[in-house]
Each structure stands twice: as C-alpha cells, then as structure tokens.
Amino acid sequence: MKILILGSGGREHALAWKISQSDLCEVLFVAPGNGGTAEIATNLSLQLNDKSEILDTVVRLGIDLLVIGPEDPLVNGVVDFLKKEPKLKDLLIVGPSARGALLEGSKDFAKQFMLKYGIPTAAAEIFTKADLEAGKLFLAGLTPPYVLKADGLAGGKGVIITKDLQEAEESLEKLLAGQFGAASENVLIEEFLDGIELSVFVLTDGEAYVILPEAKDYKRIGEADTGPNTGGMGAVSPVSFADAHFMKKVEDKIIVPTIKGIKSEGFDYHGFVFFGLIKVGEEPMVIEYNVRMGDPETEVVMPRIKSDIVPLLVATARGELSDVTVTFEKNVAATVVLVSAGYPGSYETGEKIKMAFIKDENIIPFHAGTVQDDYGLLTQGGRVLAITGLGNHLMEALVKSYKGVESINWKGMNYRKDIGFDLVH
Ligand code: AMP
Ligand code: GLY
C-alpha cells in the first residue's frame, strides 16, 4: 500500500515508525514530517490547512491509506472534503469527519454529547459575550478552584484553572473579548475535578472499537508538576493505577456509551478517540475528548502494539474493525521529551543537535521538532525529541529512556528529570 501520514510531530514519527514495519507498507510518505520521519519515509512539503493541496497530493501519489495525525485538519473538515471527491472513492482514511471532530473542536458540543449519553464528566455552564456579568455571578457562587475553558481549539492554551476569583473573572473577560478569536467567543465554566489524570485511546469504525494501551502524560514544564502547561513533557504506558477493574469501568461507563453516541448521532467516524480522563476516587470521568492520538502518548503506545498496525488502520477505515484481533506487548514504555530553552514560551530554533549513536533496540529516539539539513540535525520546534525507553518494568524503561537522553545535547536543551518516578513502587 501507498500510505500517507499528515503531521510533523513526535506522534507522526511514532506512527510512521510502526507503520513502516508492516509488510503491507510499500511506500510511506509523511507531510510535512520532520528529521526523524525523513529517515524512514519520504517527507513532502504540504500545508495542512490547504484541503485542495492535500487532495491533489493524494491523487498524484495514488495514496491507498491516509492517516491524519493532528486535530486541525480534522476539525477543518478535510475528511469530508476528500470523501466528496469521486476520484478518491477507494481511498482509506483514518480520521473522523468534521461533525465527529467537533468532539474536540467544541468543548460545548462535547459536553452536550456527554450529558445526552450519560457519560460521567464535570458539571458545566456555557457563557457568551452577552453573558459576561452572568458569568461573573456564576463564578462568585462556585467553590474554587475555578475552571474556564475556551469552547474552540486554542492550541492547548484554552484552559485556565485558578483559585483566585478575581483572576477567574479577569480571565473570563479576556477570553470572551476574543483572546483566542472565535475559539473563545463561548466559554465553559466547569466544576473542578480533583484526581489523577490518564489518557485512554481507542480506534473505532463508528461501531466496533479496539482499546489501545493507556498512558499517563506529564503536562507541566517543571519537575513535580510545576510551572506552565506544555504539549507534554513525557509519558508512560501502562499506567499502574489503571488496573483491570478500573479499566473495565472506563470501558463500560465511558467507551461503550461514547461509541454508542457516535453511532446514534450518525457521525462518520473512522479514527482514534482519545479520552482525557481523571480518576476521582475510584471513578473515571471525562475531562476532554480528542479525535486523534496524543503526543507524546503515541511515543509510548506504538511500541506496545505487537500486531501489525496497518491491517488495524485499514479495518478502521473500512468499517471492519469487529473482524480484527490485536495483540499488545507486556512491556513498559516511558518517553522523555527534550525541549528548546524557553519552551513553552518563546524559544530559538536552528540549534545543532549532537546525538551519539546508541545501538539498543530498547531506546527509540522519536523526533518532534527537528530538521535535517546539510549541516546535520537542527532543532525546529519547542518540543524537539521524545526518547522512548522500553523495559520489563517501569524503572527499566526509565533507565533506558534517560540513557538515551544523556547521549543527546544542544545549546539550551531542557527536559524533566522526574518523568514516571511518581509511579515507581
Ligand atoms: P484540556 O485542554 O481540556 O485537556 O485541559 C487541560 C488540563 O486542565 C487538563 O489536562 C487537566 O489537567 C486540567 N483540567 C481540565 N478540566 C478540568 C477539571 N474540570 N477539573 C480539574 N482539572 C481540569
Ligand atoms: N499530550 C496531550 C495531547 O496530545 O493532547
């Protein structure tokens, strides 16, 4: 098969790494890709917000299977656009239609969906510009911490949590005044849930589903979960507090009703569902839906899938997922993300990366923001590399990951030294 992955992060490198191992993969393209995908696939320069360019590329290259990594093209309706094209009637696509993608694209839409299908989540109210004063009154009646969420996509920056009422009111005002443009014209004010977070992933064809290995993501820049939020500074899989009993609750109370809802609403949904969950006491609750894989979670999930992933992706796209069996590794994976100085604030790019070669199949360097040029490998983003380590238990995986980390350096390289340590017993 000729396979194209859209995106350029660590997630897409991990997908490409797994897909490239399949006997069914004849040619692999990643658009736009990064310095890591260039080693195992052909990178194509392409604008992810340009649907016509994507269509032309798929036609020109005779792509059989298209896997869409990030949320923006999905929310922008690229799947609907491609599916309307008669020339592409045989194209297999992993990624939901725009309506399904609203589960991530609108927090209000997702909240209404969860309420309709009885899926446990935080209570919430929606406010618009005209309701600013009502919103402030509502905040004043709540017990802190206050949780405010821009309705639309805000690049992971649309959630504000504060214990200070005045700060909450000011944030509400700023959001409604257009801090994130149309994405924050509506704001959700939500009950604060106190617990421990995890990410659960499924592949679904809109009816059947396969549960993939779960993961825990480390979101804050600083050790011991301090400082501002980032795209993710590390991840581990499996998650020790998500035992079989808990995961059964996740399946029964969250996954099953979500898939049922997707079917009842008639969403054309062939792709990943990422459940951002929080374990409150012994109960799972949904913080958010994403309609794609997580990053850096993919970098620990892919190495734990034993089966060839291509038949699984094909079955997802074709609506034949109920016929597929998937096996997983019993190992543990940990990934540590290496970031540029200044990230998640402003940062420099173009730094030369020094990377010693380590021959160890239990250390996998996934690239996120890198580019290969005539001078070697250069930084090209905030998150630059995600070094995955594999082992029989978490400590072993972490030792491998940090061994990989120590073989890499560039000016201003930063990373967390405590990834996974909260879960080591
Ligand atoms: P989101 O962009 O929806 O993933 O939210 C970003 C982060 O805010 C989450 O990963 C949680 O750590 C936190 N968060 C979001 N909603 C809540 C909530 N209702 N209660 C507590 N924490 C929350
Ligand atoms: N790591 C969280 C996300 O991908 O949204």
Side-chain angles (χ1 to χ4, degrees), residues 240-356:
S240 50
F241 60 83
D243 57 15
H245 180 65
F246 179 76
M247 287 305 287
K248 176 86 172 72
K249 280 192 194 170
V250 171
E251 183 167 11
D252 294 346
K253 297 185 179 184
I254 290 169
I255 298 175
V256 168
T258 298
I259 305 300
K260 185 168 161 269
I262 286 175
K263 190 177 172 202
S264 306
E265 297 295 312
F267 299 158
D268 178 14
Y269 203 117
H270 298 258
F272 294 98
V273 186
F274 166 167
F275 300 85
L277 303 183
I278 189 157
K279 185 182 183 190
V280 182
E282 284 307 310
E283 292 303 312
M285 298 184 79
V286 178
I287 283 191
E288 62 166 355
Y289 286 119
N290 296 305
V291 298
R292 50 166 175 92
M293 279 302 288
D295 195 351
E297 290 97 324
T298 311
E299 292 93 304
V300 290
V301 171
M302 287 303 134
R304 300 198 56 233
I305 301 175
K306 195 169 187 172
S307 313
D308 184 344
I309 199 172
V310 174
L312 188 59
L313 298 172
V314 167
T316 299
R318 284 204 179 124
E320 296 171 355
L321 211 46
S322 56
D323 303 338
V324 177
T325 46
V326 193
T327 54
F328 301 105
E329 303 282 0
K330 297 217 163 18
N331 61 359
V332 175
T335 200
V336 175
V337 178
L338 308 182
V339 303
S340 297
Y343 175 82
S346 60
Y347 53 82
E348 299 285 323
T349 59
E351 298 293 348
K352 180 151 174 46
I353 302 171
K354 291 192 244 38
M355 210 163 157

Side-chain angles (χ1 to χ4, degrees), residues 2-263:
K2 294 192 175 68
I3 305 176
L4 169 62
I5 302 171
L6 296 185
S8 63
R11 167 181 51 214
E12 286 75 19
H13 188 192
L15 285 166
W17 173 85
K18 183 67 185 160
I19 289 172
S20 68
Q21 293 166 27
S22 172
D23 289 339
L24 296 168
C25 178
E26 180 196 338
V27 201
L28 180 61
F29 299 97
V30 186
N34 59 40
T37 61
E39 290 171 9
I40 54 172
T42 303
N43 284 351
L44 303 170
S45 87
L46 188 141
Q47 297 295 325
L48 291 183
N49 57 8
D50 187 338
K51 291 183 229 177
S52 303
E53 195 184 348
I54 295 172
L55 189 146
D56 291 346
T57 305
V58 168
V59 172
R60 178 169 53 83
L61 298 173
I63 297 298
D64 301 300
L65 171 65
L66 175 69
V67 181
I68 300 159
E71 61 275 20
D72 291 276
L74 296 167
V75 173
N76 286 338
V78 72
V79 173
D80 312 65
F81 186 78
L82 296 175
K83 284 191 175 173
K84 273 200 310 244
E85 171 59 49
K87 270 189 275 187
L88 295 182
K89 66 176 185 356
D90 294 328
L91 175 67
L92 298 169
I93 305 180
V94 176
S97 65
R99 207 157 160 71
L102 271 180
L103 288 176
E104 177 165 359
S106 164
K107 296 206 187 270
D108 183 33
F109 181 89
K111 191 63 76 176
Q112 300 311 325
F113 176 92
M114 287 186 259
L115 291 177
K116 184 165 172 188
Y117 293 97
I119 296 156
T121 185
E125 292 273 339
I126 184 105
F127 294 91
T128 64
K129 211 170 178 171
D131 319 315
L132 175 62
E133 290 312 316
K136 286 186 179 171
L137 272 176
F138 182 74
L139 280 171
L142 296 179
T143 335
Y146 307 96
V147 181
L148 286 85
K149 297 186 171 184
D151 179 45
L153 293 184
K157 298 199 172 68
V159 176
I160 289 129
I161 301 180
T162 173
K163 289 188 179 144
D164 185 82
L165 179 60
Q166 197 184 336
E167 196 184 322
E169 290 176 345
E170 283 166 14
S171 299
L172 179 67
E173 203 161 333
K174 267 197 250 158
L175 285 167
L176 290 176
Q179 186 180 2
F180 296 106
S184 68
E185 272 171 13
N186 298 318
V187 174
L188 238 65
I189 300 179
E190 191 167 288
E191 169 198 7
F192 178 81
L193 300 175
D194 197 5
I196 178 157
E197 286 178 55
L198 76 155
S199 309
V200 170
F201 308 95
V202 306
L203 262 171
T204 183
D205 57 13
E207 205 162 338
Y209 60 88
V210 168
I211 305 177
L212 302 175
E214 77 286 352
K216 180 174 190 277
D217 168 21
Y218 292 77
K219 287 199 168 79
R220 305 289 199 93
I221 186 74
E223 273 135 34
D225 294 326
T226 52
N229 256 323
T230 69
M233 295 295 290
V236 300
S237 175
V239 179
S240 50
F241 60 83
D243 57 15
H245 180 65
F246 179 76
M247 287 305 287
K248 176 86 172 72
K249 280 192 194 170
V250 171
E251 183 167 11
D252 294 346
K253 297 185 179 184
I254 290 169
I255 298 175
V256 168
T258 298
I259 305 300
K260 185 168 161 269
I262 286 175
K263 190 177 172 202

